[in-house]
Amino acid sequence: MALQDAYILVTGGAGYIGSHTLVTLMEKGFRHLISLDNYSTSRPDSYALVEKITGSRPVVVEGAVGDRALIRHLMDTYKPAGVIHFAAWKAVGESMEKPFLYLENNISQMQVFLEEVYRQHKPVFIFSSSCTVYGEVQQLPVDETTPRRPANSVYGLTKQMGEDLLEGLCRMGFTGPVVALRYFNPVGAYPDGTLGEWPIGKPNNLLPIICQTAAGRLQELTIHGQDYPTRDGTCIRDYVHVMDIAEAHVLALEYATKAASDRMEIFNLGTGSGVSVLEAVHAFEAANGIKLPWRMGPRRPGDVTAVYSNSRKAAEILSWKPRYTLHDMMRSAWLWQQYLENQKLPL
Ligand code: UFG
């Protein structure tokens, strides 16, 4: 059976990267998608936006990845050939205020999830990891062989633990093929701006904050720190378009299905370009013809100075090549914010 005709279980399908990945899977002919989400950090309304773009909807299941009976039921009913596991909490600051809640959501529930996923089956498994696992690095760019450093946040710790769990279980033969994708900083929206990052409550990340500032919902952007040892004193990140990230999941799914390696494969997903916070602000202003009110503020605890990716491995093995530019990221993010405003969608 072609992979496109098999069931694929997507956890966190209503979330930011999840919803864009649903669109990409559908655009590439995947017809049997199941999205499991408990909407703790996402909205079920995302599916209507996915449907507007693609004309289809996944099978929608409301629930938690740690709901043992539910996962057992889903695995028995659909026998998915692939599992893409996005569902997790991802706010760095919040993870330092509620460390055990992050461990519960991202690790304890994942452990139950894995137990039920692998009870009878060995589907291909794609895990959402993050460049945060590298911690404060000494040498840039980072590639997959760069040693991980102690985590700077509990969120980062949960991503390291998630990778370790899967790596060990995979190596010891308890899983099917496993791929961990280390995202750098996913930003942007579906190119026409009809789907994008849809935070609940106050956003934590740079692009949603920039967009809400441009829309007048926030008074001004505070740049967290101007005294970093970088070219303009602000932190450097590797911003990568969410649609490129989404595409990498399809490539990883196809690759892992064919390669059936008994080792977990890790791929960095970044463009390879380091962009400072000030440069990101200027890129947004230039792409959209908007002047942003901003001021310099103190450093944000837990931020690393600079991180950007060497993504050669993803290029060579997955044939993944980011297609969208920084301009595209900034443009689509703003189109999406305008869509939210014009359609009077809740924020
Ligand atoms: N920043 C500001 N002002 C803000 C918000 C952010 O200056 O109001 C700066 C941050 O200090 C940082 C850069 O913008 O230098 C990017 O910050 P984000 O919060 O957008 O993203 P992080 O680099 O902190 O990355 C974190 C996690 C990633 C995760 C990402 C998106 O480490 O794993 O958030 O959730 F993918």
Side-chain angles (χ1 to χ4, degrees), residues 218-297:
L218 298 173
Q219 230 176 5
E220 64 181 355
L221 165 75
T222 303
I223 296 183
H224 298 316
Q226 56 178 324
D227 57 351
Y228 285 97
T230 61
R231 49 188 175 262
D232 61 18
T234 67
C235 290
I236 289 182
R237 297 287 181 274
D238 185 337
Y239 298 95
V240 50
H241 199 294
V242 67
M243 292 305 293
D244 282 325
I245 296 277
E247 196 195 3
H249 288 79
V250 184
L251 296 172
L253 205 56
E254 289 168 346
Y255 160 77
T257 304
K258 276 193 222 116
S261 158
D262 55 1
R263 289 280 185 276
M264 178 174 90
E265 286 288 349
I266 298 174
F267 296 99
N268 277 357
L269 298 180
T271 65
S273 299
V275 171
S276 76
V277 180
L278 261 182
E279 288 163 353
V281 168
H282 293 145
F284 181 87
E285 292 181 330
N288 299 306
I290 289 175
K291 198 91 199 81
L292 266 185
W294 59 264
R295 68 178 178 88
M296 286 295 177

Side-chain angles (χ1 to χ4, degrees), residues 90 130 155 185 205-206 209 222-224 235 237 300 303:
K90 62 150 195 171
S130 163
Y155 162 70
N185 285 59
N205 298 117
L206 182 63
I209 292 174
T222 303
I223 296 183
H224 298 316
C235 290
R237 297 287 181 274
R300 185 174 71 173
D303 269 343

